[in-house]
């Protein structure tokens, strides 16, 4: 039996190896989506495909890789996995994501014996899907790009140039796609080498025993966290704007959460059946988003391991929105970005002191693409926008931070976007009055205004524009996310998810959502409201209307008598 000190040393060396994988990937990748936004998930796994250590990235990818790796092991067969191999997988129903979120795996051997795997999943720019950039209205998986069903891109240490050529000749952005793929392979190989060094240092038996102990300890921590949670069953519903095909139909996400002494069960059975458009979720993504919430509630202050998720059980029947089956389209994974807050909405009924009101509720992605006359080459850049977080029992929601499904990610800086694309960012600011009024105010969303300097295409990825971020305990809803095309013109349009041709000098405004408020707004301290007005978070009109606080618009001084009259009436 390995001693606890050795286990801890091995665990932290594995975490260090995972972070080196991340640094390697970010320093060698070609696309800002990878090295700026951090649209990746990577880690180190045991021989069964269970997580030992990870590095920060797209948080919703944490368990997506587990699910994908287990499927890859089953499909390829252990006997066919050899030293020096790197395997690609992007078949959505096995890989947990859409075709452009490609997973790569490398086995780790020591003296001819398999001791684990490394994995890295990143967003590729293009794989011959029907539309450049992103697909919003596919009706069949075969419109969503080419599949790699556990394909060896590296075989016994040799890069398979025929597979590279398939990628190269099936991508509209060949150099960046191939470059990112090679960076991904490099990250996996780097991680494998570091783990081999750890095994050599501590011995194979102690390394494998330490891996089992890391998982066992993770489970103990999760069960201790579970024991502190209220017990009961709660249900909630929220909606995706549309499926991208039937644009006038809201799509239901419904979950029932049960917490007992033994487990946490998240049941998605009452959600809509899978739909015509591409918002259906592969089961692995449903598992990942449910695990993210479980992790946040039970072991938020410790590194993720497979053991953290043993007390979690997820129910999603095949053919359900949350468990897509072939050939259902899955490209627009926005259901997976919205559904986590449905779990929180259910849990808020049983633990209002621990759960915040809804955040801005969406990732609010804007993607631009076209031909850049400066270089004569095609361009594609994107960024996700920060949102306001919900007010909570302990205070106001935070302004403008990345959505909970992307807690390890960043947005694309203004300077990078302007250098890499023919776009000018004319405004980047907080949205006044976007946070839901409450005793504790919701955080503010963001406004970013893009001017296209050349004819281009804009893809807007927002799926929570028809419902608002919910408040709690009497708090009001926040303002929702939306995009505005060509503001202040005859062609102005407020939209959610669209693929739109933009002429030179036309403008797109991305307004991200504010968080919901917590508690009755008229119970907010008038001095806090005054401070919000002076900071520009709340307008004088909103202070009066929503909070019952009178503030002199000229002097920005509090009118106590006027406030008393407003609140008493």
């Amino acid at each position: 039996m390995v001693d606890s000190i050795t286990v801890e040393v091995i665990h932290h060396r594995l975490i260090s190896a995972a972070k080196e994988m991340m640094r390697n990937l970010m320093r060698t990748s070609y696309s800002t989506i990878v090295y700026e936004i951090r649209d990746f998930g990577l880690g180190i796994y045991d021989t069964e495909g269970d997580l030992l250590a990870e590095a920060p990235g797209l948080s919703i990818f944490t368990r997506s890789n587990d699910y994908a790796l287990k499927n890859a092991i089953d499909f390829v067969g252990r006997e066919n996995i050899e030293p020096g191999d790197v395997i690609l997988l992007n078949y959505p129903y096995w890989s947990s994501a859409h075709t452009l979120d490609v997973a790569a795996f490398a086995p780790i051997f020591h003296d001819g014996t398999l001791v684990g795997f490394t994995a890295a999943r990143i967003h590729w720019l293009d794989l011959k899907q029907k539309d450049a950039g992103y697909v919003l209205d596919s009706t069949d998986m075969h419109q969503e790009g080419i599949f790699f069903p556990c394909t060896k891109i590296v075989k016994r240490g040799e890069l398979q140039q025929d597979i590279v050529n398939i990628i190269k000749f099936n991508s509209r952005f060949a150099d960046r796609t191939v470059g990112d793929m090679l960076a991904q392979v490099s990250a996996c190989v780097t991680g494998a080498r570091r783990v081999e060094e750890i095994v050599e240092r501590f011995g194979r038996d102690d390394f494998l025993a330490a891996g089992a102990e890391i998982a066992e300890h993770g489970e103990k921590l999760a069960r201790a966290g579970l024991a502190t949670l209220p017990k009961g069953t709660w249900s909630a519903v929220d909606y995706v704007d549309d499926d991208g095909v039937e644009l006038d139909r809201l799509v239901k996400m419904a979950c029932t959460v049960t917490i007992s002494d033994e487990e946490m069960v998240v049941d998605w059975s009452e959600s809509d059946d899978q739909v015509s458009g591409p918002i259906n979720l592969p089961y692995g993504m449903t598992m990942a988003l449910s695990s993210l919430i479980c992790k946040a509630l039970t072991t938020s202050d410790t590194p993720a391991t497979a053991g953290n998720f043993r007390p979690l059980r997820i129910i999603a029947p095949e053919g359900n929105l949350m468990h897509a089956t072939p050939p259902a389209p899955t490209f627009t994974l926005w259901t997976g970005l919205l559904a986590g807050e449905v779990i929180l909405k259910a849990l808020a009924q049983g633990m209002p002191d621990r759960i915040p009101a809804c955040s801005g509720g969406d990732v609010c992605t804007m993607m631009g693409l076209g031909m850049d006359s400066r270089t004569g080459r095609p361009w594609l850049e994107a960024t996700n926008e920060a949102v306001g977080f919900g007010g909570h029992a302990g205070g106001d929601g935070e302004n403008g931070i990345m959505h909970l499904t992307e807690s390890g990610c960043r947005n694309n800086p203004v300077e990078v976007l302007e250098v890499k694309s023919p776009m000018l960012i004319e405004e980047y600011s907080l949205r006044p009055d976007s946070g839901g009024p409450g005793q504790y105010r919701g955080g503010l969303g963001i406004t970013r205004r893009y001017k296209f300097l050349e004819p281009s295409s804009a893809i807007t990825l927002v799926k929570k524009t028809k419902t608002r971020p919910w408040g709690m305990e009497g708090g009001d809803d926040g303002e929702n996310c939306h995009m505005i095309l060509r503001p202040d013109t005859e062609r102005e349009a407020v939209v959610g998810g669209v693929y739109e041709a933009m002429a030179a000098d036309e403008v797109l405004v991305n307004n991200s959502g504010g968080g919901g408020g917590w508690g009755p707004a008229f119970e907010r301290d008038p001095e806090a409201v005054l401070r919000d007005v002076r900071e520009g978070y709340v307008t004088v009109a909103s202070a009066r209307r929503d909070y019952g606080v009178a503030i002199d618009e000229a002097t920005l001084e509090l009118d106590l008598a006027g406030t008393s009259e407003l609140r008493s009436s």
Side-chain angles (χ1 to χ4, degrees):
M1 180 177 178
V2 64
D3 65 88
S4 58
I5 294 176
T6 301
V7 171
E8 198 68 9
V9 171
I10 289 174
H11 190 197
H12 279 80
R13 286 193 64 169
L14 288 169
I15 293 171
S16 177
K19 290 180 178 178
E20 185 175 349
M21 291 173 64
M22 178 185 72
R23 291 192 296 271
N24 181 301
L25 176 65
M26 292 178 65
R27 289 173 177 172
T28 59
S29 56
Y30 281 47
S31 301
T32 60
I33 288 174
V34 180
Y35 65 78
E36 289 288 355
I37 296 176
R38 301 190 181 189
D39 192 344
F40 58 72
L42 48 81
I44 298 168
Y45 301 80
D46 67 14
T47 57
E48 301 302 315
D50 289 321
L51 179 67
L52 294 172
E54 64 163 354
L58 188 61
S59 50
I60 205 169
F61 280 167
T62 293
R63 291 207 73 198
S64 300
N65 286 349
D66 304 37
Y67 186 80
L69 177 53
K70 290 175 185 290
N71 282 319
I73 294 169
D74 289 344
F75 183 74
V76 176
R78 291 177 185 275
E79 69 280 7
N80 299 315
I81 298 174
E82 303 176 283
D85 287 350
V86 180
I87 298 167
L88 298 180
L89 173 60
N90 73 335
Y91 184 61
Y93 317 98
W94 297 350
S95 76
S96 314
H98 64 190
T99 47
L100 294 190
D101 287 336
V102 183
F105 312 109
I108 308 165
F109 285 85
H110 180 260
D111 291 339
T113 300
L114 182 69
V115 295
F117 294 88
T118 58
R121 181 191 303 272
I122 70 171
H123 182 88
W124 291 14
L125 291 188
D126 195 89
L127 271 177
K128 205 180 180 180
Q129 68 280 3
K130 78 180 191 71
D131 300 315
Y134 220 84
V135 178
L136 302 179
D137 60 355
S138 51
T139 56
D140 183 280
M141 71 180 193
H142 299 292
Q143 299 170 342
E144 299 182 340
I146 60 174
F147 300 124
F148 295 106
C150 304
T151 304
K152 291 188 179 182
I153 185 67
V154 181
K155 190 171 185 179
R156 297 190 63 83
E158 293 293 328
L159 183 67
Q160 303 300 290
Q161 191 60 46
D162 54 344
I163 306 300
V164 175
N165 288 340
I166 290 173
I167 297 168
K168 179 178 180 180
F169 285 91
N170 283 280
S171 176
R172 299 171 178 91
F173 304 94
D175 55 344
R176 293 165 69 183
T177 301
V178 171
D180 286 342
M181 179 273 292
L182 293 175
Q184 182 178 12
V185 168
S186 176
C188 287
V189 171
T190 296
R193 288 173 178 166
R194 295 298 170 263
V195 176
E196 289 168 9
E197 293 169 1
I198 296 170
V199 179
E200 185 66 31
R201 167 68 177 80
F202 292 94
R204 185 168 67 238
D205 291 344
D206 278 0
F207 175 80
L208 295 175
E213 183 57 34
I214 288 167
E216 289 294 327
H217 183 61
E219 180 180 0
K220 290 176 183 176
L221 292 175
R223 293 196 180 279
L226 186 70
T228 69
L229 300 179
K231 307 304 184 285
T233 298
W234 310 278
S235 298
V237 172
D238 205 352
Y239 296 89
V240 186
D241 280 354
D242 56 64
D243 69 358
V245 175
E246 298 181 55
L247 301 182
D248 57 353
R249 175 195 168 191
L250 291 169
V251 181
K252 182 174 69 173
M253 304 171 289
C255 80
T256 296
V257 184
T258 299
I259 297 179
S260 66
D261 292 332
E262 291 76 31
E263 62 180 357
M264 176 177 176
V265 182
V266 180
D267 185 350
W268 296 98
S269 300
E270 297 303 313
S271 298
D272 280 345
D273 292 338
Q274 61 187 30
V275 292
S276 301
I279 65 166
N280 304 294
L281 281 194
Y283 176 74
M285 180 62 77
T286 298
M287 185 179 78
L289 72 90
S290 303
S291 299
L292 175 63
I293 303 302
C294 179
K295 172 70 176 169
L297 287 171
T298 58
T299 53
S300 62
D301 57 348
T302 60
T305 72
N308 294 153
F309 310 111
R310 289 177 180 171
L312 174 65
R313 182 159 58 94
I314 300 153
I315 301 171
E318 288 190 0
N320 184 281
L321 177 70
M322 312 301 286
H323 190 162
T325 55
T330 61
F331 200 97
T332 311
L333 293 172
W334 251 241
T335 307
L337 304 179
L338 306 184
E341 300 214 59
V342 186
I343 304 176
L344 293 177
K345 188 177 184 180
L347 290 171
Q349 300 166 47
M351 49 187 92
D353 57 328
R354 302 182 69 152
I355 303 296
C358 187
S359 79
D362 204 330
V363 175
C364 305
T365 297
M366 198 293 296
M367 182 179 291
L369 66 158
M371 187 64 66
D372 191 339
S373 65
R374 300 172 302 179
T375 64
R377 296 173 61 84
W379 68 274
L380 184 156
E381 291 297 332
T383 189
N384 304 330
E385 208 53 81
V387 297
F389 267 47
H392 51 90
D396 296 342
E398 291 292 335
N399 297 329
I401 58 176
M402 300 307 288
H403 189 259
L404 61 90
T405 57
E406 298 193 316
S407 52
C409 294
R410 308 180 299 198
N411 59 18
N412 221 338
V414 169
E415 296 83 358
V416 172
L417 287 171
E418 292 185 340
V419 168
K420 296 282 188 179
S421 70
M423 294 190 294
L424 178 68
I425 312 304
E426 295 186 319
E427 179 185 355
Y428 192 25
S429 62
L430 293 171
R431 284 181 71 194
D433 293 341
S434 58
Q439 180 182 359
Y440 298 113
R441 173 184 46 74
L444 272 59
I446 297 291
T447 291
R448 191 167 350 194
R449 183 182 177 99
Y450 301 82
K451 183 177 182 179
F452 292 87
L453 303 180
E454 298 183 0
S456 307
S457 292
I459 305 173
T460 63
L461 291 161
V462 189
K463 288 292 186 180
K464 191 175 174 61
T465 67
K466 298 176 183 177
T467 57
R468 296 177 65 177
W470 41 270
M472 273 184 62
E473 299 295 291
D476 294 328
D477 295 345
E479 291 295 323
N480 60 17
C481 308
H482 60 271
M483 306 272 187
I484 306 174
L485 300 175
R486 308 177 188 92
D488 305 318
T489 72
E490 292 181 352
R491 298 182 65 198
E492 177 178 321
V494 178
V495 301
V498 298
Y499 200 123
E500 185 81 3
M502 302 291 285
D505 296 327
E506 288 189 328
V507 170
L508 179 151
V509 177
N510 186 352
N511 285 323
S512 72
W518 195 100
F522 272 39
E523 294 182 13
R524 184 168 179 78
D525 182 352
E527 291 289 343
V529 178
L530 176 64
R531 190 161 54 247
D532 286 343
V533 170
R534 288 175 172 175
E535 293 285 352
Y537 299 163
V538 173
T539 61
V540 171
S542 174
R544 185 180 188 86
R545 178 186 66 245
D546 299 320
Y547 295 93
V549 174
I551 296 173
D552 185 286
E553 195 158 7
T555 65
L556 295 186
E557 294 294 337
L558 184 62
D559 179 353
L560 290 175
T563 296
S564 178
E565 182 179 349
L566 285 170
R567 290 192 164 185
S568 63
S569 64

